[in-house]
Amino acid sequence: MAVIEQTYQDSRKTYGSPRLHAELRKKGFVCGQHRVARWMRQEGIVGVKRGRKHPRTTQRQPGVVPAHNLLNQNFVATAPNQKWVSDFSYILTREGWFYLAVVLDLFSRKVVGWCMSPKMDTALVQDALRMALLGRQPPTGLLHHSDQGSQYTSRVYRDCLIAASAQLSISGVGNCYDNAVAESFFGTLKAECVTAAFVN
């Protein structure tokens, strides 16, 4: 029980029973998920639940014809810098609401570029992309995927990708599953880091 308690505390009191169980197994402890869930019920503790959604950040630019969906929900990469996904979302800080843009490498699921700003503009996503391009120097043929937001379909953003000899891929209209890895990243970030920072 002490190990479960410590692991829960180490997660900043954010993990539910599935993630606690997975973390314990990584540490070499043998126990069932039901036992972990039972202990949490007995102690009256719960993991942090993801909060309600805020207004959509995806705003299509009228008249722009987006690129085809080349990624097509195939989130598997066999090497670094083959496939990147990009997105941005609202983040609550102690100074108010900001926007965080990220570029994720699907091979490692690492953030390879990011930018934070109080403005939801093209510069936000472009600066995140520039960081990724400068830091990674991807080879010709990199597949870059995003949603149909006006920031991602802007001429300046597309020109950055074309200059890097990258392939452009855009999600279908209103289909969050087309960019599920980025959506999942923000869900986890908000549940385990942002929400926890204000709870504790």
Side-chain angles (χ1 to χ4, degrees), residues 8-195:
Y8 176 71
Q9 294 293 334
D10 290 345
S11 78
R12 292 187 292 181
K13 302 179 181 179
T14 62
Y15 281 5
S17 59
R19 300 199 74 168
L20 264 183
H21 176 249
E23 194 62 30
L24 288 166
R25 286 180 63 88
K26 284 182 186 176
K27 293 179 178 179
F29 293 96
V30 179
C31 63
Q33 183 179 326
H34 293 299
R35 181 183 179 188
V36 174
R38 185 169 61 251
W39 174 83
M40 293 181 72
R41 285 195 301 272
Q42 290 172 350
E43 296 298 318
I45 61 176
V46 294
V48 172
K49 291 183 172 21
R50 298 180 181 183
R52 65 180 177 85
K53 292 185 177 179
H54 293 275
R56 290 184 306 146
T57 54
T58 304
Q59 298 177 12
R60 298 180 65 197
Q61 187 172 350
V64 171
V65 179
H68 294 295
N69 184 359
L70 301 179
L71 185 64
N72 196 28
Q73 298 186 23
N74 180 1
F75 303 118
V76 177
T78 57
N81 304 318
Q82 283 185 345
K83 300 176 183 179
W84 289 356
V85 294
S86 299
D87 201 1
F88 70 95
S89 186
Y90 293 88
I91 296 291
L92 180 61
T93 74
R94 297 196 183 278
E95 296 181 9
W97 290 101
F98 275 68
Y99 298 97
L100 173 65
V102 298
V103 180
L104 299 167
D105 188 321
L106 287 181
F107 177 71
S108 61
R109 305 298 170 97
K110 287 180 61 176
V111 175
V112 295
W114 66 275
C115 180
M116 200 164 193
S117 169
K119 295 181 179 180
M120 184 178 62
D121 56 12
T122 301
L124 170 74
V125 298
Q126 187 179 14
D127 286 347
L129 176 62
R130 283 174 173 166
M131 178 188 288
L133 292 172
L134 287 172
R136 285 302 188 97
Q137 298 291 315
T140 297
L142 163 74
L143 180 63
H144 175 282
H145 185 84
S146 68
D147 61 29
Q148 292 196 23
S150 59
Q151 298 84 355
Y152 292 112
T153 58
S154 67
R155 182 62 179 269
V156 64
Y157 195 85
R158 291 165 67 95
D159 284 349
C160 282
L161 290 171
I162 292 171
S165 299
Q167 302 177 76
L168 283 66
S169 176
I170 299 286
S171 295
V173 178
N175 192 341
C176 62
Y177 298 107
D178 284 346
N179 208 9
V181 173
E183 298 274 355
S184 177
F185 167 80
F186 279 116
T188 300
L189 177 71
K190 291 177 182 180
E192 295 186 8
C193 298
V194 179
T195 305

